[in-house]
């Protein structure tokens, strides 16, 4: 155990150019128990009211997850997989005429189906269900603008870009950008820079 | 395959693709099964590990690696081995790689993970970058990895970045601040000023980011921000007028998402504040006026949000009237989404004024009959809000229909809880309550809370709470008949069986059937229903009670059940059966004394000083026994360990294996016990801790312990019996029926809030619906019985629907308008179909109760105290005098019934002495624990054996190890010889007593 402040430790160990980490990785590869902050108490994020948009999911009708973004960090990887599978199963049993809202566990899930792909948003009780439904469509329109006629494979091949676009539109569980041009500008700038 | 070509081209455009990458991603897309997918993920993992080992530095390879990692994580596989690499790549010089690495880190790492601290230095360096894109990238990364410890690390730099020339950076900095407030509300005062500064910023995206941050503050405490209302109304007005620019337009609506956000903020700020609310009316009307003609989804979303806002703030009659019109439009729509919004909006309106529900009766019934579960659930929530004494029967019937349809566990649990709550509050009479609860158990036994069964048994045991023996008798007889009938049905849920066994055991003699046939029915339970040990135990106990109370012998079936139970593997079940056998072998007087009829709710007096044993103790002392030492004395002398494990330094203590049995769980769910009083603990001291007194479900007469709950609370002093209302203390345990207070049967918080709840008006409104029940009940049954609601409804269904509507919506409006409204809402239906005559009896007082609740809600008042709160208050109040009276001795936490059962063998004792005897057992146990060799007579030893053994050791449910000893339950527990002679069975505790 390092007796010093974890932050200082981190700064000592990782210089901005990453050489410190190289060392760290090497140690880890060698099977060493890292003398870092492993013993630090595990502290959960404590935002008192839950965020309004808990997750955004893109899942195809076979139940395979294509994009998953969670604001709520309390779920483990396994819990997330289980949640996704359950919700899609529920959505698949519903017919077109029924409303696009499903209550599942503590979440209210608003979903919209585009061909084989489900767009799902988990929201809290305050959020407007009809507005969320339109927000999904707004996201799809934005993706469509970027990929021109977006399909499941586009999203798969450009998973990083899809994430980036969604991040521009939804952050911290809030809708932060619905101007399609403004949402795509940073993505474009970054593509050019890369 | 032009699609594939297009995709390939697209992929090339966005990412430099290698053949392997292309193939793998395609493989994931085409995999049809989980195993195929896992195989590909396995390849991805292998490839990624190889890339990490090679450590190649060209961007293409690094980006591929990161995308692989995202896939591996997304498809549910562990990525801990690659997290360090991802963190390392965050400091890559290539911006695209850096961005992707930050993204990967945010997806792979739990924000609480220690590793996220490793990114801190990199982010800090990036925040200082000259390239604004790098800065933005770092700021978005902060949103993902921020944790309470890190807020102060980033805060100065982020604050400084608000002065950056680029709007994009300002926006991202504001969002980072919002995240800070989310993870650590303590920083709010530092950030408040920066966020407010940016409300008026010319660039909309920066302004929106500041609104998001302010929402975090306002959600936590709106009061300090009420002065912002005029800013928000201004921005909202501009947004609604399209001044944010065409780019924000969505489906002809100007900046709708900004409008939604502002409407929500206004709702938060206006709630409970009349002055702020009045400043909003104009702009709310304007937004709604502009949104209405859009006629599309987003327009409806805006209207819906307007309704939400104006029902949250101090209500304006004009706006509410407008909202009601929109609600009718929503409910009349074809789309279920709109109906859903309509029902939700109506639920809100009903809280302001219950009359709104009147106008939409048929639409609401339609939604209730919809095959769409979401819509149905929402409608039920509306009904809960509308419930009152006049329509509770119909609503309960609806909820039961929903519960019988099955479905989601959570949804059913909610519905069951709500039904319990409403039934307890508005039940017209006891009989109805019992029937409804029976149906609830039957329909949804697996989701109802266990306390409900206890409530029900207590209700039956205590009766109406009025001194009307006839009514009580009728109630119980009715319940017994109903339960005996129910037993003919297969597969009753456990919780219902428990109640049935208890009630039939306790009051079976009230049945019209002969006692013998009642016994046969009980004895058949393990065959016709569940046959696990728990159920058999209930049945055995019930049989014992029935036989003891009626003075009749068990029928052959019944005694077969008891004897088979006496040889059961479960020690607990065996215990019960042996007790029953032993008791029934005694004189009728003893039986009746041990298991008196209708005494479950009686008080049992306990004198912890045990004066009746004085002469016995005296004699023992004269014969040379060591004097009793209290636990404190023994602890002080070092004779007893404090760990509660043993009985002191007994030479054969280890042979008794106290440790193993002491840690076993309580065998059955039990009612909450009042906290142990010090005196009780002292009395129990010899047993080394109150847990030893936990006789659990062993009481002979109590399958559920529901009605036994009152008894332990009764203080020792006989005087306390008179002053302390039974169940005063246990009623603090959970949701309760309001049954304990004589003169007051039912009544919700609203009713109770009236100055004189027992006045004639209240009681008449409570009791009178009994008659309308017949008509409305039949109406709902016929409606429920009508086939597929999706099919085109024949007129008969309409009539049923209207009747249902009429009984649901009952009063509120004047009776003269109700038929007219129905007529107006259903012009296409035959006029004769609507039957106002059926509705008429229901109309009395209809919405009175909810009207009061509704009037209170918008004023921002806290929710009225729930029934259980009231009960708790009254219960606690009542308990004060009782504890005061029982000054020197508090009640030992024995289950008195169990103790009485254990004492079945004491023929020579007087009845009143019996009540005092159970502490005697404690004392005996204490003596034994002390190791004092009291030369007690064999009779006393046997009692002690019964009391101590049954109450303590045998409570354990550990399965017996040696089947050969099944006839000698105490032997293995005593650690005695495995082939004990029959004499040892009679006096199994001789060892212990020395």
């Amino acid at each position: 155990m390092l007796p010093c402040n974890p932050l200082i430790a981190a700064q000592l160990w990782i210089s901005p150019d990453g050489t410190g980490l190289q060392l760290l990785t090497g140690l880890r590869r060698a099977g060493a128990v890292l003398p870092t902050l492993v013993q630090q108490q595990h502290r959960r994020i404590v935002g008192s009211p839950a965020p309004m948009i808990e997750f955004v999911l893109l899942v195809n009708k076979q139940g395979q997850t294509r994009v998953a973004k969670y604001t709520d960090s309390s779920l483990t990887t396994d819990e997330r997989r289980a949640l996704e599978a359950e919700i899609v199963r529920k959505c698949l049993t519903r017919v077109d005429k029924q409303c696009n809202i499903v209550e599942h566990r503590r979440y209210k899930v608003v979903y919209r189906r585009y061909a084989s792909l489900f767009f799902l948003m988990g929201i809290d009780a305050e959020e407007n269900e009809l507005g969320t439904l339109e927000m999904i469509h707004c996201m799809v329109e934005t993706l469509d603008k970027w990929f021109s006629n977006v399909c499941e494979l586009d999203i798969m091949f450009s998973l990083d870009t899809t994430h980036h676009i969604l991040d521009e539109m939804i952050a911290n569980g809030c809708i932060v950008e619905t101007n399609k041009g403004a949402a795509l500008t940073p993505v474009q700038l970054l593509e050019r820079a890369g | 395959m032009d699609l594939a070509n297009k995709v390939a081209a697209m992929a090339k455009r966005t990412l430099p693709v290698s053949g392997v990458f292309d193939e793998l991603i395609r493989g994931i897309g085409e995999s049809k099964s989980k195993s195929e997918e896992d195989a590909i993920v396995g390849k991805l993992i292998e490839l990624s590990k190889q890339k990490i080992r090679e450590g190649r530095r060209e961007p293409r390879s690094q980006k591929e690696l990161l995308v692989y990692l995202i896939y591996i994580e997304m498809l549910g596989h562990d990525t801990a081995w690659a997290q360090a690499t991802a963190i390392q790549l965050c400091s890559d010089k290539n911006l695209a790689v850096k961005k992707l690495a930050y993204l990967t880190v945010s997806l792979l790492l739990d924000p609480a993970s220690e590793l996220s601290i490793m990114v801190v230095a990199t982010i800090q360096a990036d925040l200082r970058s000259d390239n604004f894109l790098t800065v933005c990238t770092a700021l978005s990364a902060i949103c993902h990895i921020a944790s309470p410890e890190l807020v102060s690390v980033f805060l100065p730099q982020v604050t400084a970045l608000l002065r950056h020339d680029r709007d994009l950076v300002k926006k991202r900095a504001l969002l980072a601040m919002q995240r800070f407030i989310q993870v650590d509300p303590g920083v709010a005062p530092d950030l408040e000023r920066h966020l407010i500064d940016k409300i008026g910023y010319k660039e909309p995206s920066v302004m929106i980011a500041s609104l998001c941050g302010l929402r975090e503050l306002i959600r936590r405490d709106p009061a300090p921000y009420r002065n912002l209302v005029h800013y928000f109304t201004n921005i909202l007005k501009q947004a609604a007028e399209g001044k944010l620019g065409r780019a924000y337009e969505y489906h002809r609506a100007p900046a709708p998402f900004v409008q939604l956000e502002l409407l929500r903020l206004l709702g938060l700020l206006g709630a409970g504040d009349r002055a702020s609310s009045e400043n909003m009316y104009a702009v709310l009307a304007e937004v709604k006026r502009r949104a209405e003609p859009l006629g599309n989804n987003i327009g409806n979303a805006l209207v819906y949000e307007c309704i939400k806002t104006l029902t949250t703030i101090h209500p304006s009659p004009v706006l509410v009237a407008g909202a009601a019109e929109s609600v009718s439009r929503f409910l009349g729509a074809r789309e279920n989404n709109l109906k859903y919004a309509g029902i939700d909006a109506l639920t809100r309106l009903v809280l302001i004024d219950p009359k709104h529900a009147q106008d939409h009766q048929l639409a609401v019934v339609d939604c209730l009959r919809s095959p769409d579960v979401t819509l149905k659930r929402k409608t039920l929530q509306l009904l809960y809000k509308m419930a009152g004494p006049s329509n509770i029967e119909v609503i309960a019937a609806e909820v039961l229909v929903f519960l019988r349809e099955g479905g989601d566990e959570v949804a059913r649990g909610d519905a069951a809880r709500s039904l319990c709550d409403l039934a307890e509050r508005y039940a017209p009479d006891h009989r109805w309550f019992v029937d409804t609860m029976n149906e609830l158990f039957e329909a949804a036994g697996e989701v109802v809370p266990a306390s409900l069964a206890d409530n029900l048994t207590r209700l039956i045991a205590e009766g109406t709470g009025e001194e009307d023996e006839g009514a009580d008798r009728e109630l119980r007889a009715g319940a017994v008949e109903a339960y005996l009938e129910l037993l003919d049905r297969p597969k009753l849920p456990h919780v219902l069986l428990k109640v049935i066994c208890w009630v039939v055991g306790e009051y079976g003699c009230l049945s019209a059937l002969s006692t013998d046939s009642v016994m046969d029915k009980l004895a058949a339970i393990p065959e016709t229903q569940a046959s696990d040990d728990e159920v058999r135990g209930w049945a055995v106990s019930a049989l014992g009670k029935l036989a003891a109370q009626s003075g009749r012998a068990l029928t052959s079936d019944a005694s077969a059940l008891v004897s088979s139970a006496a040889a059961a593997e479960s020690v607990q079940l065996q215990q019960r059966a042996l007790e029953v056998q032993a008791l029934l072998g005694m004189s009728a007087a003893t039986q009746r004394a041990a298991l008196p009829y209708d005494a479950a709710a009686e008080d049992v007096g306990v004198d912890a000083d045990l004066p009746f044993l004085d002469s016995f103790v005296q004699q023992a002392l004269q014969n040379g026994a060591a004097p009793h030492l209290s636990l404190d004395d023994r602890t002080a002398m070092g004779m007893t360990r404090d760990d509660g494990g043993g009985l002191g330094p007994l030479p054969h203590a280890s042979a008794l294996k106290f440790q193993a049995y002491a840690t076993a769980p309580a065998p059955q769910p039990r009612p909450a016990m009042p906290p142990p009083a010090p005196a009780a603990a002292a009395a129990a001291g010899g047993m080394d801790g109150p847990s030893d007194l936990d006789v659990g479900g062993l009481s002979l007469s109590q399958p559920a312990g529901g009605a036994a709950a009152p008894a332990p609370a009764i203080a020792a002093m006989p005087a306390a019996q008179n002053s302390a209302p039974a169940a005063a203390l246990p009623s603090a345990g959970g949701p309760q029926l309001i049954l304990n207070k004589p003169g007051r049967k039912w009544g919700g918080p609203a009713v109770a809030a009236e100055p004189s709840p027992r006045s004639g008006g209240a009681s008449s409104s409570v009791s009178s619906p009994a008659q309308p029940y017949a008509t409305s009940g039949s109406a709902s049954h016929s409606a429920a019985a009508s086939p597929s609601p999706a099919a085109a409804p024949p007129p008969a269904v309409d009539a049923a629907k209207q009747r249902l509507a009429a009984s649901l919506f009952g009063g509120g409006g004047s009776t003269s308008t109700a038929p007219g409204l129905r007529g107006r809402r259903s012009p296409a239906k035959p006029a004769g179909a609507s039957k106002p005559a059926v509705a008429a009896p229901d109309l009395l007082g209809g919405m009175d109760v909810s009207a009061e609740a509704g009037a209170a809600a918008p004023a921002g008042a806290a929710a009225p105290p729930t029934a259980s709160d009231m009960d708790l208050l009254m219960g606690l109040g009542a308990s004060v005098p009782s504890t005061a009276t029982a000054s020197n001795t508090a009640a030992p936490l024995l289950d008195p019934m169990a103790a009485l059962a254990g004492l079945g063998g004491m023929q020579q004792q007087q009845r009143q002495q019996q009540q005092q005897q159970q502490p005697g057992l404690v004392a005996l146990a204490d003596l034994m624990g002390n190791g004092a060799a009291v030369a007690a007579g064999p009779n006393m030893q046997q009692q002690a054996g019964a009391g101590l053994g049954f109450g303590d050791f045998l409570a354990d449910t550990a399965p017996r190890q040696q089947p050969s000893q099944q006839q000698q339950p105490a032997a293995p527990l005593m650690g005695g010889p495995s082939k004990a002679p029959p004499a040892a069975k009679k006096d199994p505790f001789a060892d212990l007593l020395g």
Side-chain angles (χ1 to χ4, degrees):
Chain A
M1 274 306 281
L2 281 183
C4 64
N5 180 328
L7 277 181
I8 300 171
Q11 281 165 345
L12 279 177
W13 280 50
I14 311 158
S15 48
D17 63 1
T19 47
L21 253 174
Q22 206 95 55
L23 169 73
L24 233 168
T25 328
L27 274 175
R28 190 185 277 275
R29 221 178 283 146
V33 178
L34 293 184
T36 52
L37 328 151
V38 181
Q39 303 302 320
Q40 280 267 315
Q41 229 190 350
H42 213 73
R43 205 170 141 191
R44 280 254 154 108
I45 300 286
V46 282
S48 35
M52 305 181 82
I53 297 170
E54 312 246 15
F55 54 78
V56 180
L57 293 176
L58 271 67
V59 187
N60 70 11
K61 65 174 182 194
Q62 282 89 38
Q64 295 162 313
T65 310
R66 290 301 171 233
V67 176
K69 294 198 83 68
Y70 288 84
T71 317
D72 172 16
S73 58
S74 61
L75 297 175
T76 65
T77 310
D78 289 341
E79 286 166 345
R80 289 176 182 187
R81 293 302 86 78
L83 180 75
E84 288 156 19
E86 286 165 21
I87 294 178
V88 172
R89 221 174 298 136
K90 250 189 187 175
C91 292
L92 279 170
T93 60
R94 299 175 65 81
V95 297
D96 290 349
K97 245 191 86 207
Q98 299 184 335
C99 55
N100 297 48
I101 304 146
V102 175
E103 281 170 67
H104 184 74
R105 299 204 210 157
R106 66 189 176 89
Y107 303 107
K108 209 154 53 173
V109 181
V110 178
Y111 70 94
R112 213 160 166 159
R113 187 176 167 172
Y114 294 88
S116 65
L117 208 55
F118 282 95
F119 281 67
L120 307 139
M121 277 169 84
I123 54 176
D124 71 356
E126 283 174 46
E127 187 70 59
N128 184 323
E129 294 88 346
L130 299 182
T132 309
L133 198 59
E134 290 310 291
M135 185 60 209
I136 292 178
H137 193 66
C138 186
M139 288 188 317
V140 173
E141 283 181 355
T142 313
L143 288 174
D144 220 35
K145 192 170 172 179
W146 179 259
F147 290 108
S148 56
N149 210 357
V150 66
C151 72
E152 190 179 332
L153 270 179
D154 288 340
I155 289 167
M156 293 193 67
F157 275 109
S158 310
L159 191 60
D160 52 334
T161 316
T162 311
H163 266 288
H164 194 176
I165 294 172
L166 297 187
D167 275 341
E168 288 297 326
M169 302 185 76
I170 292 175
N172 305 335
C174 292
I175 299 170
V176 294
E177 191 60 83
T178 48
N179 174 347
K180 293 174 197 111
L184 293 179
T185 312
V187 185
Q188 210 158 15
L189 289 172
L190 206 71
E191 291 275 314
R192 234 180 276 154
Chain B
M1 269 307 266
D2 63 331
L3 180 72
N5 292 340
K6 201 193 106 216
V7 165
M10 204 76 64
K12 280 199 188 74
R13 193 191 70 197
T14 53
L15 197 81
V17 167
S18 68
V20 187
F21 179 89
D22 186 84
E23 191 187 313
L24 285 171
I25 303 296
R26 209 171 281 275
I28 293 173
E30 286 163 2
S31 61
K32 291 279 173 284
S33 67
K34 182 81 181 126
S35 55
E36 263 180 73
E37 191 182 276
D38 284 348
I40 296 173
V41 173
K43 269 189 224 165
L44 281 180
I45 292 175
E46 199 183 310
L47 206 63
S48 310
K49 285 185 174 166
Q50 190 190 333
K51 275 179 188 285
I52 292 176
R53 269 198 302 278
E54 286 168 6
R56 286 161 67 183
R57 303 205 59 126
E58 70 258 37
R60 191 177 104 170
S61 171
Q62 288 171 334
K63 280 164 88 176
E64 280 182 15
L65 168 65
L66 292 168
V67 174
Y68 290 160
L69 293 181
I70 297 178
Y71 267 106
I72 294 167
E73 198 275 341
M74 187 171 73
L75 297 174
H77 297 258
D78 179 50
T79 48
W81 46 273
Q83 287 172 356
T85 311
I87 291 172
Q88 183 186 355
L89 286 174
C90 289
S91 44
D92 198 276
K93 289 193 177 59
N94 183 311
L95 186 54
V97 173
K98 182 190 280 292
K99 171 82 193 169
L100 187 49
Y102 275 134
L103 172 69
T104 312
V105 167
S106 73
L107 292 170
L108 262 50
L109 250 59
D110 179 359
S113 151
E114 312 79 28
L115 282 176
S116 64
I117 274 178
M118 308 236 173
V119 204
V120 170
T122 317
I123 290 181
Q124 283 184 320
D126 285 343
L127 288 178
R128 285 189 292 267
S129 165
D130 294 335
N131 183 345
F132 78 98
L133 282 174
T134 311
V135 177
C136 284
T137 304
L139 284 169
S140 357
I142 289 179
C143 288
H144 291 296
I145 67 141
S147 60
E149 301 87 357
L150 296 181
V151 167
S152 55
V153 178
F154 292 127
L155 195 55
Q157 276 184 298
V158 171
T159 315
L161 284 170
L162 282 179
R163 290 190 296 274
H164 202 277
D165 343 318
R166 292 279 187 163
D167 288 340
L168 208 53
V169 176
K170 287 199 181 90
K171 168 183 156 183
R172 279 286 154 195
L174 286 169
L175 290 175
M177 287 185 168
Q178 180 197 7
R179 187 67 189 158
F180 292 161
I181 301 170
Q182 281 178 348
V183 298
D184 181 10
V187 297
D190 303 336
L191 301 181
E192 182 187 285
R193 188 174 46 85
H194 299 296
L195 293 169
I196 294 175
D197 271 355
K198 293 284 180 286
I199 299 182
Y201 199 78
K202 58 184 188 308
E203 169 61 33
S205 59
V206 177
M207 184 268 294
I208 294 168
S210 76
L211 290 183
C212 291
L214 281 172
R215 185 172 65 183
E216 299 298 332
L217 300 175
I218 293 171
R219 277 170 94 178
R220 282 173 175 81
D221 180 18
Y225 304 101
R226 296 234 158 86
N227 57 350
L228 296 179
V229 166
H230 72 277
Y231 287 111
F232 292 149
T233 49
N234 251 332
I235 303 171
L236 179 56
K237 189 154 179 290
Q238 293 181 29
E241 286 166 357
K243 299 229 169 97
L244 293 189
R246 283 203 63 108
Y248 280 88
E249 203 168 279
Y250 174 85
H251 294 197
R252 290 183 288 127
F257 299 101
V258 182
Q259 292 191 52
L260 290 176
E261 178 73 48
L262 285 161
L263 285 168
R264 257 190 302 264
L265 283 175
L266 289 180
L268 289 170
L269 288 172
D273 188 88
R274 185 168 184 166
S276 325
S277 300
E278 279 169 354
N279 289 331
M280 302 170 191
Y281 292 156
V283 71
L284 282 178
E286 173 74 7
V287 168
K288 191 157 166 290
R289 190 184 63 75
R290 284 174 180 269
E292 220 122 50
L294 291 172
N296 53 10
N297 262 334
I298 193 70
N300 291 330
L302 283 169
V303 174
Y304 175 39
E305 193 64 45
C306 281
I307 298 175
K308 277 178 150 183
T309 304
L310 61 87
T311 49
T312 320
I313 63 176
H314 185 86
S316 138
V318 182
L319 287 179
V320 169
E325 277 173 35
S326 307
V327 167
S328 3
R329 188 164 63 79
F330 284 173
L331 286 174
R334 229 174 245 196
E335 245 186 286
N336 274 9
N337 286 331
L338 282 186
K339 283 188 184 164
Y340 175 93
I343 292 284
D344 186 65
L346 186 57
T347 312
R348 293 161 191 272
L349 281 179
V350 163
L351 288 178
I352 293 180
D353 187 349
K355 82 174 160 53
H356 293 293
Q358 289 289 311
D359 309 343
H360 308 293
Q361 305 179 2
L362 288 177
V364 171
V365 174
D366 268 336
C367 292
L368 201 57
R369 294 268 169 271
S370 160
D372 187 338
V373 182
T374 312
L375 191 54
K376 189 177 283 192
R377 222 177 133 183
K378 199 84 200 168
T379 315
L380 283 176
Q381 280 161 10
L382 169 65
L383 294 191
Y384 303 151
K385 292 277 192 311
M386 285 168 43
S390 69
N391 56 10
I392 179 67
E393 286 105 335
V394 191
I395 288 176
E398 287 304 326
V399 180
L400 287 169
V401 169
F402 175 78
L403 285 171
R404 286 201 188 92
E405 283 167 0
D408 199 62
E409 187 119 316
V410 181
R412 283 157 59 77
D414 283 351
R417 266 190 302 280
S418 305
L419 176 57
C420 299
D421 185 40
L422 294 178
E424 286 178 8
R425 230 188 286 172
Y426 301 119
D429 55 37
H430 284 62
R431 186 63 211 266
W432 179 87
F433 183 80
V434 173
D435 290 347
T436 308
M437 287 301 113
N438 290 344
E439 286 187 55
L440 174 62
F441 287 141
E442 215 186 322
E446 77 286 0
V447 292
V448 296
S451 62
L452 208 63
D454 297 345
N455 283 350
L456 187 57
T457 46
R458 190 179 307 143
L459 166 68
I460 293 172
E462 290 175 359
T464 52
E466 290 151 21
E467 295 307 314
D468 184 356
E469 277 303 318
D472 287 357
R473 192 186 161 87
E474 203 178 305
L475 170 76
R476 290 164 187 162
V480 169
E481 294 303 335
Y483 286 143
L484 288 175
E485 214 169 286
L486 268 179
L487 279 179
D488 294 336
R489 290 195 218 164
K491 290 200 176 165
L492 297 176
H494 250 72
V495 61
L496 184 54
L497 281 176
K498 190 161 145 186
V499 176
I500 290 178
C501 285
W502 190 85
V503 172
V504 174
E506 196 73 21
Y507 300 107
C509 45
L510 296 176
S511 163
L513 298 172
S514 71
T515 308
D516 284 354
S517 33
V518 174
M519 281 189 195
D520 284 343
K521 283 212 165 205
L522 278 174
I525 286 180
E527 282 165 40
T528 55
Q529 308 286 343
S531 67
D532 53 290
D533 289 340
E534 220 183 358
V535 175
R536 285 165 77 196
W538 297 333
V540 166
S541 294
L543 285 170
K545 271 192 288 185
L546 204 53
Q549 287 166 6
S550 65
R552 300 177 68 97
L554 291 175
T555 61
S556 58
D557 285 3
S559 57
L561 173 68
V562 174
S563 352
S564 79
E569 288 236 339
S570 156
V571 178
Q572 199 212 348
L573 173 58
Q574 196 180 38
Q575 158 80 11
R576 279 190 198 229
L578 288 173
E579 281 175 358
V580 167
Q581 279 180 339
L583 184 64
L584 293 182
M586 296 180 181
S587 77
T590 311
Q591 291 181 21
R592 264 196 299 281
L595 293 172
Y597 169 69
D598 191 20
E602 298 290 320
D603 305 342
V604 178
V606 171
D607 185 348
D609 281 350
L610 317 174
F612 69 96
L613 281 173
D614 282 353
S615 63
F616 172 75
V617 172
Q618 210 55 45
Q619 199 187 345
L621 286 174
Q622 276 169 11
N623 289 347
H628 167 65
L629 296 171
S630 73
L631 178 63
D632 290 343
D633 296 340
R634 271 177 284 141
T635 313
M637 292 163 69
M639 289 171 71
T640 304
R641 280 169 293 152
D642 281 337
D643 58 1
L647 290 179
L650 285 176
H652 50 283
S654 60
L656 287 169
K657 295 182 183 170
F658 288 104
Q659 286 289 5
Y661 291 115
T663 51
Q668 278 204 344
R670 314 180 53 244
M673 286 290 200
M687 305 287 283
D688 270 352
S691 68
D692 286 335
L693 293 169
D694 228 10
V695 287
L698 276 179
S699 68
L700 184 56
S701 59
Q702 309 296 327
I714 305 312
M717 302 295 282
Q721 288 185 25
N722 301 328
S723 62
L729 276 177
S731 70
Q736 301 284 325
L737 268 173
I738 310 168
L739 296 170
N740 309 332
K741 294 163 284 294
R744 185 160 159 267
K745 286 162 64 182
W746 303 100
V751 177
E754 286 172 11
S756 57
R758 288 167 220 178
S759 68
S763 65
S764 74
S765 78
V766 168
S767 57
S768 52
Q771 202 189 346
Y773 173 40
T775 46
S776 58
S778 67
S780 73
H781 283 307
S782 64
S786 67
S788 162
V797 175
D798 282 345
K801 222 184 246 178
Q802 285 176 353
R803 275 202 301 276
L804 172 61
S807 43
L808 266 180
F809 292 88
S814 67
T815 44
S816 60
T817 58
L821 282 168
R822 277 198 300 276
R824 185 169 64 78
R825 301 280 323 155
S826 57
K829 287 151 191 155
S834 72
K835 289 202 173 74
V838 180
D842 282 4
L843 293 175
L844 41 97
M847 312 296 283
D848 286 352
V849 176
S850 43
E852 286 176 32
T866 64
S868 59
D869 287 342
M870 301 287 295
D871 199 38
L872 181 62
L873 285 173
M874 302 180 85
L876 284 176
S879 72
V880 170
S882 81
T883 46
T885 322
S887 53
N888 56 345
T889 47
L893 297 177
L894 265 177
D895 188 341
M897 298 312 286
L900 283 176
L903 284 169
M906 305 181 71
Q907 298 183 27
Q908 74 278 30
Q909 296 291 342
Q910 304 273 320
R911 169 78 203 276
Q912 65 266 40
Q913 276 181 329
Q914 264 190 354
Q915 292 195 342
Q916 298 172 331
Q917 256 168 7
Q918 40 173 347
L921 294 175
V922 178
L924 283 172
D926 202 357
L927 288 169
M928 290 186 289
N930 205 355
V934 179
N939 188 21
M940 218 48 207
Q941 284 177 3
Q942 197 174 359
Q943 290 163 26
L948 180 65
F950 291 177
D952 183 14
F953 309 129
L954 293 184
D956 185 68
T957 51
R960 305 258 323 275
Q961 298 300 318
Q962 293 138 302
S964 68
Q965 292 175 358
Q966 282 191 354
Q967 299 308 315
Q968 298 163 21
L973 294 165
M974 299 303 302
S978 63
K979 290 187 185 98
K985 186 183 167 190
K986 274 193 176 167
D987 193 359
F989 284 79
D991 264 14
L992 181 62
L993 291 165

